[in-house]
Amino acid sequence: MQATTEMSSQFDPTEHPHARYNPLKGEWVLVSPHRLKRPWKGQVEKAQEETIPPRDPKNPLCPGSVRASGEVNPEYTSTFVFRNDFSALLPEAPPPAEPEHPLLRMAEAKGTCRVICFHPRSDITLPLMTPEEIRKVVDEWANQIAELGKTYEWVQVFENKGNVMGCSNPHPHCQVWASSFMPTEPYKSDANQKLYYQQHGRPMLLDYVKLELEKKERIVVENAHWLAVVPFWATWPFETLLLPKRHVLRLPDLTDEERNSLCGIMKELLIKYDNLFQCSFPYSMGWHGAPTGTKYSVDCSYWQLHALYYPPLVRSATVKKFMVGYEMLAQVQRDLTAEQATAKLRALPDVHYKVKAQAEESSN
């Protein structure tokens, strides 16, 4: 559909299409803010809240439940870690043969996959957990990276939250995949951070922390040790980047105080996410830090620890952004600018909408 729109001759990032560079990926993002003026005929209603029981004996992640492997979960009271019953990687697998043609290459891929349950209850998520409960999750993340990092080149901690992100089980949990190789996304990040360090003599993301603290244009939440921003180069509508203010290579390197602060800022950020459309906000998130395994013996001071949040919702609890067509075949694109997304998130209340509703109900 073609629309005629008059635009001023002077560039305005809130009005005119432009491209922004993502230095972590070495890729460009097309930003089309003028498209926000187009009429929207899609769904905008609030999604119906799903009622989730605190405990379901048929849910394989609940305490005491039987998993697909036949193993019975213990009656855990905080976090619980187990090997994924359907692991994508295995610690022992025969290597493929030499390729018969350079276009038919294969490589060895060994590893292990684990699941971390955050809490014994299925009807609770990270923004509704206490800081003390979240701290146990943070410590378990660090423990898994420290343990698996002794053997594997990369340890990926990630959480898929919500059906729309492919998470079919509502029980609060995440996954840990450790591999004998560095996967594509961290490989690109590693190469680009290293190049920036060689060119400028400073870690890229520490420079970015300093820049965002000076400009204060894209900071959603901040505390003494951390800041969460909608990055200048964001792809997803309400994407955020969570960064420590100090130079930190890996999650296990965080001090006790930094871990407590991390719990606080994660809770703040995720409350704002849920409050945006008054729903349990779906996302994929994960931690990126300096590589492990043999890379422990290599100088990785160009790295800076960070977490990435990729939420798909754009206009309401039922409208998501699809990475299709142009995004798949040409270049990623977004309408809302990073600054506009920041303003929306920053303006949201710090009290979770469910907590507020319960308080109002009890006072009546």
Side-chain angles (χ1 to χ4, degrees), residues 52 55-66 73 122 169-171:
I52 299 170
R55 181 165 176 167
D56 180 357
K58 296 179 181 179
N59 188 324
L61 299 186
C62 284
S65 292
V66 180
N73 295 336
S122 295
N169 195 315
H171 195 89

Side-chain angles (χ1 to χ4, degrees), residues 30-150:
L30 175 62
V31 184
S32 311
H34 58 290
R35 280 165 53 92
L36 292 172
K37 296 178 181 178
R38 62 179 174 155
W40 178 252
K41 297 180 180 179
Q43 297 167 290
V44 293
E45 73 274 10
K46 180 183 176 183
Q48 293 295 315
E49 290 281 348
E50 181 184 1
T51 301
I52 299 170
R55 181 165 176 167
D56 180 357
K58 296 179 181 179
N59 188 324
L61 299 186
C62 284
S65 292
V66 180
R67 303 200 310 276
S69 63
E71 294 186 42
V72 179
N73 295 336
E75 291 292 335
Y76 64 92
T77 57
S78 57
T79 57
F80 168 54
V81 183
F82 64 91
R83 185 180 62 80
N84 195 318
D85 296 322
F86 302 98
S87 294
L89 292 160
L90 299 173
E92 295 299 332
E98 287 297 314
E100 59 184 81
H101 191 280
L103 296 179
L104 303 175
R105 295 168 62 193
M106 291 188 285
E108 185 178 66
K110 293 183 179 181
T112 189
C113 302
R114 296 177 179 177
V115 176
I116 304 176
C117 293
F118 295 161
H119 197 279
R121 292 183 58 147
S122 295
D123 61 343
I124 196 168
T125 55
L126 281 171
L128 292 170
M129 289 167 59
T130 66
E132 292 75 22
E133 290 170 332
I134 298 173
R135 173 62 193 265
K136 292 178 180 177
V137 175
V138 169
D139 286 342
E140 194 56 64
W141 286 343
N143 292 341
Q144 292 298 312
I145 292 170
E147 177 194 339
L148 295 172
K150 295 175 183 177

Side-chain angles (χ1 to χ4, degrees), residues 209-220:
V209 166
K210 181 181 178 182
L211 188 63
E212 289 292 7
L213 288 172
E214 290 172 353
K215 288 187 170 293
K216 299 189 181 298
E217 294 175 350
R218 288 168 292 271
I219 298 176
V220 179

